[in-house]
Amino acid sequence: DFVQEARNIDRFKNHFQDNPGVRIPQVYWDFCSSKVVTMEYIDGIGIADVEKIEKAGLDRKEIARKGAEITLKQIFEYGFFHGDPHPGNLFVLEDNVIAPMDFGLVGNLDRELRNSLAQLMSGFVHKNIDRIVRVLYNMGVINSKLDEGALKLDISELIERYYQLEIRHVNVNQIMEDVTRLVTKYKIKLPKNLFLMTKAMSLMESIARQLDPKFNMVKVSKPYVQSFMIKRWSPKNIAEEVSLCIEDVLDLVETSPRTIKRILQQIKRGRLGFNLHHEELSRFIHMLDKASNRISFSLIIAALIIASSVLVNFGKGPLLFGIPAIGLIGYLIAAIMGLWLVIAILRSGRL
């Protein structure tokens, strides 16, 4: 929907209207529809074309820094960012001005997700593994069945791997790869926008390193991350959080009497039912059923042996090798059934 893309462009333009280092194209709404977006023509150099950038007398290091700062501002200040800042979507103009293009794929970090992100960062900075795991549980992105001890150990090893390194040796792409491996290993279902955020930062770091081999994304990110985490505990943010909590409590107080009344009415009418599900109960029932079948099987074998013994002792009926044939057949059937039961028990690994 190109109307939505045009709205995205206007939103970015509003965010960067006072930033002379960024050029967001003007949208011509009179010529836009769901199938067409018409915007200002931008004539620039592709940000990955280092040779042309140098020929134009532009500053590669400043462009690298500006590109990273634009991405970081979008993520940590506005919570609304370009989700695909690859080299084909970024152009460089005169005076090292950067012009992003193609605003179809964008990411949005809402209040709850940004708060979770701040807590995760705080956990990494202070090496608080318990806080990190607790936040992941609160986000609902990890399964309660996973090995929590193993997860904490892997997170601790990941933090220690980078904690003692100097900033200039830290590579954001490598961090993202390590985090992705951890996410895959424990089947952590991170929100789509967090993946978009890491993708955007990784792409921007790769572009910046092409322009400036000594560029360090972590160093440039540090003030933005610090400001982001400080805002998390600012009086304004705390007041907003308290206000939201009070609204939730008032809503609970308002709706609880009606909810309780409905439950009591259901109990009075005998219509209240409970569905219980236990993860291990079905396995227990299956094992109990198997044990019952084996006992029944054993009783049948025992009955066959007793009946055959009685027939052999009476010596009645046709004989086979001097033994009553019916009794002999009973012994044979009991032997086959007994052998089959023993094999089944041995194969199950439970004697």
Side-chain angles (χ1 to χ4, degrees), residues 75-77 79 109-128 131-136 138-139 159 190-191 194 197 222 224-234 237-238 241:
I75 292 170
F76 294 106
E77 288 189 19
L109 302 176
D110 59 28
R111 175 191 290 274
E112 190 174 346
L113 191 54
R114 292 177 81 184
N115 285 342
S116 296
L117 184 59
Q119 290 178 62
L120 285 172
M121 287 180 171
S122 176
F124 275 101
V125 168
H126 297 102
K127 296 202 285 187
N128 191 330
R131 177 185 292 178
I132 293 168
V133 174
R134 185 171 65 251
V135 172
L136 291 174
N138 292 339
M139 290 173 71
I159 293 172
L190 290 180
L194 277 185
M197 185 196 81
K222 198 172 180 181
Y224 291 93
V225 173
Q226 286 175 340
S227 174
F228 176 66
M229 291 170 66
I230 289 168
K231 282 180 183 177
R232 168 84 172 88
W233 300 109
S234 68
N237 198 42
I238 291 172
E241 288 293 323

Side-chain angles (χ1 to χ4, degrees), residues 112-312:
E112 190 174 346
L113 191 54
R114 292 177 81 184
N115 285 342
S116 296
L117 184 59
Q119 290 178 62
L120 285 172
M121 287 180 171
S122 176
F124 275 101
V125 168
H126 297 102
K127 296 202 285 187
N128 191 330
I129 314 300
D130 289 329
R131 177 185 292 178
I132 293 168
V133 174
R134 185 171 65 251
V135 172
L136 291 174
Y137 270 120
N138 292 339
M139 290 173 71
V141 298
I142 55 177
N143 194 320
S144 58
K145 290 182 178 179
L146 64 72
D147 186 342
E148 189 176 313
L151 175 62
K152 286 182 176 181
L153 183 62
D154 282 346
I155 293 174
S156 177
E157 288 178 356
L158 177 65
I159 293 172
E160 290 297 336
R161 195 176 304 157
Y162 295 100
Y163 210 84
Q164 302 300 328
L165 291 178
E166 293 180 28
I167 287 180
R168 61 193 177 92
H169 295 308
V170 179
N171 185 316
V172 169
N173 276 323
Q174 186 59 52
I175 294 173
M176 298 307 179
E177 286 178 15
D178 289 341
V179 170
T180 302
R181 274 195 290 270
L182 202 65
V183 165
T184 305
K185 179 179 178 181
Y186 291 98
K187 298 179 181 178
I188 298 172
K189 299 177 182 178
L190 290 180
K192 180 187 75 173
N193 283 321
L194 277 185
F195 272 116
L196 269 181
M197 185 196 81
T198 59
K199 175 191 171 187
M201 289 184 69
S202 295
L203 281 171
M204 200 61 244
E205 184 189 45
S206 297
I207 293 167
R209 282 182 182 269
Q210 283 182 342
L211 293 165
D212 177 12
K214 294 182 179 180
F215 177 82
N216 188 283
M217 188 67 158
V218 174
K219 186 177 181 180
V220 177
S221 304
K222 198 172 180 181
Y224 291 93
V225 173
Q226 286 175 340
S227 174
F228 176 66
M229 291 170 66
I230 289 168
K231 282 180 183 177
R232 168 84 172 88
W233 300 109
S234 68
K236 182 183 176 183
N237 198 42
I238 291 172
E240 288 176 355
E241 288 293 323
V242 170
S243 176
L244 287 172
C245 287
I246 291 171
E247 284 181 19
D248 288 340
V249 170
L250 290 174
D251 184 59
L252 185 64
V253 170
E254 184 182 351
T255 58
S256 290
R258 289 195 294 271
T259 305
I260 294 168
K261 184 179 178 180
R262 281 197 294 269
I263 292 171
L264 292 174
Q265 286 174 344
Q266 293 291 327
I267 293 172
K268 188 177 179 180
R269 293 169 187 169
R271 294 179 183 175
L272 189 68
F274 295 94
N275 290 320
L276 297 177
H277 175 73
H278 194 284
E279 294 291 337
E280 298 295 326
L281 192 58
S282 57
R283 184 167 170 267
F284 173 73
I285 291 170
H286 177 70
M287 291 176 64
L288 189 63
D289 187 47
K290 187 182 286 188
S292 301
N293 290 339
R294 286 178 179 175
I295 292 170
S296 301
F297 218 65
S298 301
L299 290 172
I300 292 169
I301 293 169
L304 278 170
I305 292 170
I306 292 169
S308 299
S309 300
V310 170
L311 288 170
V312 168

